[in-house]
Amino acid sequence: MDAVSHSDEEPDNRTPADQLAAHYREILAGLGEDPEREGLKDTPLRAAKAMQYLTRGYEEDLDHIVNGALFTSDNDEMVLLRDIELYSLCEHHVLPIIGKVHVAYLPDGKVIGLSKIARIVDMFAARLQIQENLTRQIAEALMQVTGAKGVGVVVDARHMCMTMRGVEKQHSSMATSVMLGAFREDSRTRREFLNLIGRS
Ligand SMILES: [Zn+2]
């Protein structure tokens, strides 16, 4: 038996989506809308499900994503995945961050399936984020999983909290980079990476 159960309270049997929907209903009312009007009737639950999808990264973990897709290889040339689409949400305003991610690594006996790199990006992107942390998390995860000699990650993104709210910031984008191992220590490796993504 649950020692701290409250006998006078009904257990909450609603699904997480239904619970979230109740909050969205209040948000709509708080914005001065009528959540009962026809166009908004189903909005709370739809919005709840959309937000659950956009934050699905909390339910994922690295081991599950990689799932053995590591292969022995004597390739010691840079592997680069360019222009990975990025959709995330900023943790300050819960508004979209939209951009591109460029990921490169220098293998040390092991390579990872390219689609797995995109999924690692998605796992961290589908959470509430700031761009600096997102960039670092992607780099460190790839380093951890592949045991690479080095990893480089560059993220170039527009933040809707800037472009939609701000004045005269509609065209600003933000670039962040994290260089680990050989990408940090060897300027030639770093330059090769930046060249390949058109950044130098
Ligand atoms: Zn923001």
Side-chain angles (χ1 to χ4, degrees):
M1 287 300 283
D2 185 353
V4 292
S5 70
H6 304 284
S7 55
D8 56 338
E9 278 179 25
E10 291 283 316
D12 194 337
N13 292 325
R14 296 174 304 169
T15 64
D18 284 335
Q19 293 180 35
L20 260 182
H23 294 296
Y24 271 109
R25 211 164 284 118
E26 286 183 31
I27 290 170
L28 290 173
L31 295 174
E33 263 290 358
D34 170 14
E36 303 305 323
R37 74 176 171 84
E38 197 187 346
L40 290 179
K41 221 165 17 85
D42 300 323
T43 297
L45 188 58
R46 265 196 306 255
K49 287 178 174 171
M51 189 54 77
Q52 284 181 318
Y53 178 76
L54 296 178
T55 57
R56 68 199 178 281
Y58 291 118
E59 304 289 325
E60 294 178 6
D61 68 77
L62 207 49
D63 288 343
H64 181 250
I65 284 177
V66 175
N67 192 25
L70 279 170
F71 310 99
T72 307
S73 166
D74 50 16
N75 172 30
D76 58 0
E77 297 296 326
M78 184 181 298
V79 178
L80 171 69
L81 196 53
R82 209 168 21 200
D83 295 327
I84 305 165
E85 284 179 47
L86 169 71
Y87 298 100
S88 189
L89 292 170
C90 85
E91 68 183 27
H92 297 145
H93 305 92
V94 200
L95 287 172
I97 301 171
I98 300 172
K100 293 272 166 68
V101 185
H102 314 285
V103 178
Y105 70 106
L106 214 48
D108 189 11
K110 275 189 287 186
V111 294
I112 185 171
L114 284 184
S115 68
K116 301 294 184 177
I117 295 179
R119 286 197 57 196
I120 290 172
V121 169
D122 277 346
M123 175 180 90
F124 291 116
R127 299 176 183 185
L128 302 184
Q129 281 288 8
I130 65 170
Q131 191 175 322
E132 295 89 334
N133 291 345
L134 171 65
T135 310
R136 178 157 295 279
Q137 287 162 4
I138 295 166
E140 287 177 349
L142 190 62
M143 193 77 169
Q144 181 194 323
V145 166
T146 61
K149 291 180 192 140
V151 169
V153 177
V154 169
V155 177
D156 208 337
R158 296 176 72 202
H159 294 236
M160 293 307 117
C161 57
M162 293 278 286
T163 58
M164 290 177 74
R165 291 188 322 141
V167 195
E168 294 169 11
K169 298 200 173 49
Q170 285 83 352
H171 302 293
S172 63
S173 71
M174 179 176 173
T176 47
S177 69
V178 169
M179 305 286 168
L180 303 177
F183 286 72
R184 168 169 287 274
E185 289 141 23
D186 183 347
S187 61
R188 282 168 311 175
T189 300
R190 188 168 57 243
R191 208 172 310 124
E192 182 186 349
F193 171 45
L194 295 174
N195 266 329
L196 286 167
I197 62 171
R199 291 226 152 232
S200 68

